[in-house]
Structures are given as C-alpha cells and as structure tokens.
Amino acid sequence: MIIEIEDLCKTYQLGDTAVRALDGVDLTVSEGEMAAVMGPSGSGKSTLMHIVGCLDTPDKGIYRLKGEDVSVLSKDRLADIRNRRIGFVFQTFNLLPRLTALENVELPLLYAGKRNTRDIAVNALATVGLTDRMKHEPNQLSGGQRQRVAVARAIVTDPAILLADEPTGNLDTKTGDEILSLFLDLNAGGRTVIIVTHDEEVAERCKRIIRIRDGRIE
Ligand code: ADP
C-alpha cells in the first residue's frame, strides 16, 4: 500500500463552532492505482487532499505514506517528504508567468538541489508532448498546453504520487479528455494518480471512484 489512512479526523475552529471537515476517514490506495475523488462541495475533498499531499496534518488518526507514519512529522520534515514524494496539478495551472515552460518545469529540480536540471526538464516536457513549446511563456500557450506544462512540472521530480485537483475544470471537453488521457498514460507507466473531480465522465475513466460525504468515505 502506498497510502494507508486510519480514522483520520480534522476539525476547523470557526469562532466558537467546530467544523468537522474529516470525520473518521479510512482509506487505502495501492501503488499504481488511478482513483477519482468525488463528493459535494464542502464534503472534505480538499482537506483530505491537503493531508494526503503532506500540506497539512490531521488532528487524529494515522496516515502512512509508503509505510512511514507522516501524521506525526514536523512541518520541515513534512515539506521534505512532500517535495520528494508528491506531485501536484491544479485547476488553474499555477505556472509562473515570466518563466518559459522549460524554466517552470526546471524549478522544482533547482529547489531540490539537483544537477542536470535542464536535461531532466526537457525529458519531462517530451513526456507530455511539448517539445516544440519549451521556450514559450504561459501566456503564449493554450489552456491545454499550460496544463501539460503543469503536469511536466509535477512529474519532473519523479514523485510516487500525482495529486490533481480538478485538473480539467478550466478546460473544454476535448482538451480535458486529452489531459485525462495523459494522466492515464502516466498511470499505465506505473505512477499512482489521484484526481479530485466533479465530472462523472472524468471519474468513470479512472479505475476507482472514492466518494466522500460529510467528511466520511461512502
Ligand atoms: P471540499 O473540498 O469537498 O469542498 P473542504 O475540505 O474544502 O471540502 O471543506 C470541508 C469543510 O471544512 C467545509 O465545511 C468547509 O467549510 C470547512 N473548512 C475547510 N477549510 C477550512 C478552514 N481553513 N477553516 C474553517 N473551515 C474550513
């Protein structure tokens, strides 16, 4: 199991009311799975993804990532695990506007102190089919191409898990299908992929659907 979650709870304090965002979540994900996370707005999807992505910690419960209990780690250790093991893709791409596609993809490698960053970034861009757009800045690219750059940036450090939050939400249907196909290809290559989506058609193409409601897995 790459992800093992037991009785995970997370409560937010809003004034004097406590909001139970996660209320006893049990979940396991195997290495190489491709799963969609679905649920109504406010059901706890983002909270769960933040914890799975090591951006946040639970109040209670256990989260083991590749066998290591990460629910008890300090912020620094958590950031280290996140940089090494998790790749993120967002609905709004989140590319840096003044950098070329290649420079955007190279950035996580520079942060990680890697060598040969240029070659590795070029390879990642080739994987997503953007070899001919490497010198373009984000505003010179279409939405689908921007998302490809974002996927290249997410995989460039060779993370164990790829987490995507509504990655097709800002794209037209055809472009969204192409991006989803890219995730399916990456999954076929052995990568574990988890996609939050509101779109039933997107979820149907994933091999597993995880449904969440009121902070619990259905
Ligand atoms: P989803 O992603 O499914 O829309 P969230 O995980 O964002 O759900 O939110 C789950 C619940 O937790 C909601 O009721 C939301 O209002 C609440 N919540 C999320 N983040 C915070 C926060 N930082 N402070 C207070 N309440 C929050």
Side-chain angles (χ1 to χ4, degrees), residues 54 57 70-82:
C54 296
T57 48
V70 294
S71 36
V72 294
L73 297 179
S74 69
K75 280 228 157 23
D76 281 356
R77 280 286 293 134
L78 208 59
D80 181 48
I81 300 261
R82 181 169 70 238

Side-chain angles (χ1 to χ4, degrees), residues 34-50 52-53 88-91 147 162-170 180 183 193-200 202-203 206 208-210 212:
M34 168 113 185
V37 175
M38 297 197 85
S41 181
S43 58
K45 301 181 298 293
S46 305
T47 304
L48 180 62
M49 284 303 107
H50 283 158
V52 167
F88 293 97
V89 177
F90 305 94
Q91 180 172 0
Q147 196 58 306
L162 199 50
L163 295 180
D165 191 357
E166 292 274 354
T168 62
N170 266 2
L180 190 61
F183 281 111
V193 181
I194 305 179
I195 297 180
V196 175
T197 183
H198 281 108
D199 187 333
E200 284 285 349
V202 169
C206 297
R208 175 180 175 196
I209 304 181
I210 298 163
I212 181 165

Side-chain angles (χ1 to χ4, degrees), residues 75-126:
K75 280 228 157 23
D76 281 356
R77 280 286 293 134
L78 208 59
D80 181 48
I81 300 261
R82 181 169 70 238
N83 293 337
R84 280 191 297 121
R85 298 225 190 273
I86 315 279
F88 293 97
V89 177
F90 305 94
Q91 180 172 0
T92 51
F93 323 131
N94 294 12
L95 301 173
L96 292 179
R98 299 249 149 70
L99 299 186
T100 64
L102 184 58
E103 288 164 344
N104 267 285
V105 175
E106 210 175 347
L107 215 50
L109 297 168
L110 294 172
Y111 284 139
K114 289 268 188 328
R115 286 192 282 171
N116 298 327
T117 55
R118 191 52 46 118
D119 293 344
I120 303 170
V122 167
N123 272 335
L125 280 163

